[in-house]
Amino acid sequence: TGNSPEHNVQNLEKAGILNKTKISENGKKVSRKNWVPTWTVLHGGVLTFHKDPKPSPGAVLLFFQQNKTNQIVPEFTVELKGATIGWATKDKSSKKNVLELKGKNGVEFLIQYDTESIIHDWHKILKDTIQQLVSP
Ligand code: I3S
């Protein structure tokens, strides 16, 4: 039905440029941070970081309307089911407005944006998506 949790998760969609760096992979700390402004898409319970800073508006439309991702090169996807999101502690980064996203396979990203309203919107939608994906 239209009110099923799956349906609601499908509706949680967002895209934008965020600064991100991977800090762990397979539970192991990466040797060096690499902060990169990254085109970031939340779609169907998956957060995807893209290699290209920003695809053409046409490519974005295709992604959302036809789910054709061929014009957008994904760099990394994080399955949000079983992931955690929260504000990073000061020891993780000297930057302001830093979120820490931990995937269940031992991957950790820091996600950052100077404008508070923007990073707060991302925090909320990621938190809500993760919450909805929790198994009953
Ligand atoms: O956790 P760190 O080592 O303080 O992270 C900083 C470094 O990755 C630094 O790069 P190099 O030390 O390779 O030049 C980056 O430029 C900084 O942005 C990193 O720290 P912040 O606090 O910005 O996350």
Side-chain angles (χ1 to χ4, degrees), residues 15-17 37-40 50-57 59-60 72:
I17 303 273
T38 302
W39 177 245
T40 307
H50 293 278
K51 272 180 191 153
D52 300 319
K54 193 173 185 177
S56 69
V60 176
I72 309 177

Side-chain angles (χ1 to χ4, degrees), residues 105-119:
N105 53 351
V107 71
E108 284 183 53
F109 283 95
L110 298 182
I111 299 169
Q112 189 272 345
Y113 202 79
D114 278 350
T115 308
E116 259 181 51
S117 58
I118 288 174
I119 197 76

Side-chain angles (χ1 to χ4, degrees), residues 1-120:
T1 72
N3 290 324
S4 69
E6 292 82 2
H7 183 84
N8 290 336
V9 167
Q10 292 301 321
N11 283 341
L12 290 176
E13 294 185 338
K14 189 174 175 62
I17 303 273
L18 294 172
N19 301 311
K20 72 101 174 62
T21 183
K22 197 194 293 165
I23 55 168
S24 292
E25 193 157 26
N26 300 318
K28 233 188 108 202
K29 206 169 174 287
V30 300
S31 55
R32 206 171 190 182
K33 278 181 185 164
N34 181 27
W35 283 106
V36 178
T38 302
W39 177 245
T40 307
V41 177
L42 171 62
H43 181 74
V46 176
L47 190 71
T48 304
F49 296 118
H50 293 278
K51 272 180 191 153
D52 300 319
K54 193 173 185 177
S56 69
V60 176
L61 269 176
L62 278 175
F63 185 94
F64 282 109
Q65 293 181 345
Q66 299 170 25
N67 202 22
K68 286 185 181 169
T69 58
N70 56 307
Q71 288 187 48
I72 309 177
V73 182
E75 181 194 12
F76 209 99
T77 61
V78 179
E79 176 67 58
L80 292 178
K81 189 179 166 71
T84 65
I85 185 78
W87 297 104
T89 50
K90 290 283 171 211
D91 57 308
K92 292 287 167 84
S93 175
S94 61
K95 297 184 193 304
K96 64 174 184 178
N97 305 336
V98 182
L99 289 170
E100 190 175 19
L101 176 68
K102 299 187 187 187
K104 64 177 178 240
N105 53 351
V107 71
E108 284 183 53
F109 283 95
L110 298 182
I111 299 169
Q112 189 272 345
Y113 202 79
D114 278 350
T115 308
E116 259 181 51
S117 58
I118 288 174
I119 197 76
H120 275 86

